[in-house]
Amino acid sequence: MNLEFNKNEDINKQLWFEVKNRLKQIYAGGGEKAGAKQKEKGKMLARERVSYLLDKDTPWLEIGAFTAEDMYKEYGGCPSAGVVCGIGYVSGRQCMIVANDATVKAGAWFPMTAKKNLRAQEIAMENRLPVIYLVDSAGVFLPLQDEIFPDKEHFGRIFRNNAIMSSSGIVQISAIMGSCVAGGAYLPIMSDEAMIVDGTGSVFLAGSYLVKSAIGEDIDNESLGGASTHCEISGVTDYKHPDDAACLESIRKIMSMLGTPKNAGFDRIKSAPPKLDEQEIYGILPENRESPYDMREIIKRLVDKSELEEYKELYGQSIICGLARIDGWAVGIVANQRKVVKSKKGEMQFGGVIYSDSADKATRFIMNCNQKKIPLVFLQDVTGFMVGSRSEQGGIIKDGAKMVNAVSNSVVPKFTIVIGNSYGAGNYAMCGKAYDPRLIFAWPSAKIAVMGGSQAAKVLLQIEEASLKAKGEEITKEKEDELLKKITDRYNTQTTPYYAASRLWIDGIIDPLETRKVISMGIEAANQSPIEKQFNSGVLQT
């Protein structure tokens, strides 16, 4: 046991070490040369601005650090999609910060930049968080304009959200700290207040070159849209500041005067650490994603005092449900049990699989948490719903539908942590991205796909072989092995947490020891947005 524990511990710590190494590269943005150019202009870099703005010694929760990882290689890449987003504290107030990184293609907007900005706005709108935009962008990345400009969830949706947030009373403050061109000019000016840095900030619908070609007028960018123009002549911007630091101090001052937000009323008492050592999570979680383990042992190292008030403990055992506290906040936990269990009827149930009884139990528990106004935490390590004639005749589809219904219609805030597998309909029932979790993060051990790699590869191999045979090609054993390896490698690459984080299917990859912080900050954010909708499941399949 100790040998297995130590092996797991080494593997899981190594996985987190790899995440940290990749994050270091991402944090470098466009690299040293690009950073030096910004410094020569007297500007702070994006992450320096965020750091300066945040209250000292307070937690910071970055959203989408891995966005666009390994994408846009033909254009030299786009680290973190050229924008830094996250939840932090400014003058004691929790808020969403969005900062363009001008070292990455002059802060130009790639398709994933728009998706990431929209995710940041979605989080702000759901939780009524004030938003601070630190704008420094050359506008849309023209070679990819067709993928970012015209559709519903593209660039224009951001300005629509500015307007919707303003009408909802969600505070938005913008600082123009560099270029702010064309459609991008609307973002700061649609905020409640816009400030500009003298000498480096500029905002205009068309730059000097375009003005020259369009109407023949000769004018420089500073006269066209600099700080003096907009603070003294046009009245477009509200505050003028001599440098980045003064601008950020002004934002801090304004944030210190905001009124207190309404309270949603989620219960919180004094925080207590888990009694069991959190560090042991690394040793409990197996290296192999198919190996069994007791999810209760993970839960006990995540919750206050290691205490779980378990619901229907002896029924539907392949899902663990129960009430607990995380950093003082009351939560309802829905977690996949990964060890093999035996029902009272004598049925052996595989770990990580959702059976009819566990789906029924989880559905009822989710409804109870809505009744009690308790936020829900989903801990995913799920391979899907049980298949086969026995399950189908037992009504697994309708039982699964009940669980999906309860998750979909739940009005209390939901938070999802992908610990291990997140496959197929199990991803849906356990509150995957499509089911509006307020936050969804993964551990480095996560795997997200429609099904496991080995099963999927065999199915894909059959399709590939049938296609080749139809063309008259002979499939030798060597050719089959080569095809299987190629298909398996490609599929496994697509199941990694990096692949998911790059496409914003998850908000990020975290150290298991950060889980309590993520959930606590998430509930604190959600507590600023009172629940206005009544829970109603509609028609349940019975």
Side-chain angles (χ1 to χ4, degrees), residues 355-418:
Y355 291 79
S356 283
D357 55 358
S358 49
D360 267 350
K361 175 172 91 170
T363 301
R364 177 76 176 274
F365 180 73
I366 290 163
M367 294 170 86
N368 275 344
C369 286
N370 276 272
Q371 184 87 332
K372 298 184 180 85
K373 205 157 77 169
I374 298 173
L376 286 160
V377 173
F378 292 84
L379 302 178
Q380 285 196 7
D381 194 346
V382 58
T383 51
F385 285 85
M386 191 56 193
V387 296
S389 60
R390 186 173 176 179
S391 293
E392 298 292 1
Q393 289 166 15
I396 187 69
I397 295 175
K398 67 178 173 64
D399 294 325
K402 277 185 277 193
M403 187 174 172
V404 169
N405 187 317
V407 172
S408 303
N409 286 304
S410 182
V411 295
V412 295
K414 298 168 290 197
F415 302 89
T416 301
I417 306 294
V418 186

Side-chain angles (χ1 to χ4, degrees), residues 270-342:
K270 188 179 177 184
S271 176
K275 276 184 184 170
L276 299 177
D277 187 0
E278 291 176 77
Q279 294 276 345
E280 290 173 353
I281 288 172
Y282 297 123
I284 294 166
L285 194 66
E287 168 203 356
N288 188 330
R289 289 276 44 83
E290 293 173 11
S291 296
Y293 65 94
D294 190 346
M295 179 63 86
R296 281 189 191 86
E297 295 304 316
I298 299 284
I299 294 170
K300 286 175 186 176
R301 286 158 179 82
L302 294 176
V303 300
D304 292 13
K305 299 181 182 178
S306 300
E307 291 176 356
L308 176 70
E309 189 69 27
E310 194 164 343
Y311 176 77
K312 291 184 187 284
E313 182 181 351
L314 302 176
Y315 177 78
Q317 295 176 74
S318 75
I319 291 183
I320 298 167
C321 297
L323 300 175
R325 290 192 182 271
I326 292 178
D327 197 24
W329 293 104
V331 296
I333 292 173
V334 180
N336 302 109
Q337 173 59 288
R338 279 306 312 268
K339 70 177 188 180
V340 177
V341 293
K342 189 176 182 181

Side-chain angles (χ1 to χ4, degrees), residues 58-74:
T58 57
W60 161 250
L61 180 57
E62 186 156 354
I63 303 294
F66 280 100
T67 309
E69 175 80 344
D70 287 331
M71 294 173 74
Y72 311 121
K73 287 181 179 177
E74 65 273 37

Side-chain angles (χ1 to χ4, degrees), residues 45-80:
L45 303 183
R47 290 183 182 277
E48 290 173 343
R49 288 168 176 166
V50 172
S51 180
Y52 190 97
L53 188 61
L54 292 169
D55 296 346
K56 299 297 170 258
D57 302 318
T58 57
W60 161 250
L61 180 57
E62 186 156 354
I63 303 294
F66 280 100
T67 309
E69 175 80 344
D70 287 331
M71 294 173 74
Y72 311 121
K73 287 181 179 177
E74 65 273 37
Y75 301 108
C78 187
S80 223

Side-chain angles (χ1 to χ4, degrees), residues 229-245:
T229 297
H230 287 311
C231 284
E232 299 169 33
I233 300 171
S234 72
V236 165
T237 50
D238 307 311
Y239 305 87
K240 181 165 81 167
H241 296 292
D243 54 35
D244 283 8

Side-chain angles (χ1 to χ4, degrees), residues 113-347:
T113 316
K115 188 172 182 179
K116 184 170 174 178
N117 273 264
L118 288 169
R119 175 61 179 149
Q121 288 184 322
E122 179 184 38
I123 292 168
M125 287 190 284
E126 284 177 333
N127 300 293
R128 299 191 60 82
L129 291 179
V131 189
I132 298 168
Y133 302 102
L134 307 179
V135 188
D136 193 345
S137 169
V140 166
F141 185 66
L142 285 176
L144 295 172
Q145 65 85 27
D146 62 318
E147 296 178 40
I148 185 175
F149 170 68
D151 210 346
K152 182 178 177 179
E153 296 296 328
H154 283 180
F155 196 41
R157 188 77 171 181
I158 288 151
F159 316 133
R160 175 261 189 196
N161 287 349
N162 290 142
I164 297 293
M165 281 192 276
S166 186
S167 73
S168 304
I170 298 169
V171 172
Q172 298 172 88
I173 301 170
S174 283
I176 300 160
M177 309 181 86
S179 297
C180 190
V181 185
Y186 285 109
L187 186 147
I189 310 310
M190 291 193 74
S191 300
D192 303 329
E193 292 173 294
M195 44 193 71
I196 188 166
V197 177
D198 197 12
T200 53
S202 59
V203 54
F204 35 67
L205 291 180
S208 54
Y209 292 128
L210 186 53
V211 167
K212 174 72 174 171
S213 65
I215 63 172
E217 181 183 2
D218 274 315
I219 189 167
D220 63 89
N221 281 340
E222 185 62 29
S223 304
L224 189 65
S228 295
T229 297
H230 287 311
C231 284
E232 299 169 33
I233 300 171
S234 72
V236 165
T237 50
D238 307 311
Y239 305 87
K240 181 165 81 167
H241 296 292
D243 54 35
D244 283 8
C247 184
L248 296 167
E249 286 292 352
S250 178
I251 295 173
R252 289 183 55 78
K253 196 174 288 182
I254 292 168
M255 287 294 294
S256 74
M257 299 182 191
L258 262 58
T260 305
K262 285 183 184 176
N263 192 301
F266 304 127
D267 188 67
R268 191 181 199 185
I269 61 172
K270 188 179 177 184
S271 176
K275 276 184 184 170
L276 299 177
D277 187 0
E278 291 176 77
Q279 294 276 345
E280 290 173 353
I281 288 172
Y282 297 123
I284 294 166
L285 194 66
E287 168 203 356
N288 188 330
R289 289 276 44 83
E290 293 173 11
S291 296
Y293 65 94
D294 190 346
M295 179 63 86
R296 281 189 191 86
E297 295 304 316
I298 299 284
I299 294 170
K300 286 175 186 176
R301 286 158 179 82
L302 294 176
V303 300
D304 292 13
K305 299 181 182 178
S306 300
E307 291 176 356
L308 176 70
E309 189 69 27
E310 194 164 343
Y311 176 77
K312 291 184 187 284
E313 182 181 351
L314 302 176
Y315 177 78
Q317 295 176 74
S318 75
I319 291 183
I320 298 167
C321 297
L323 300 175
R325 290 192 182 271
I326 292 178
D327 197 24
W329 293 104
V331 296
I333 292 173
V334 180
N336 302 109
Q337 173 59 288
R338 279 306 312 268
K339 70 177 188 180
V340 177
V341 293
K342 189 176 182 181
S343 74
K344 199 70 177 173
K345 294 177 182 176
E347 181 188 13

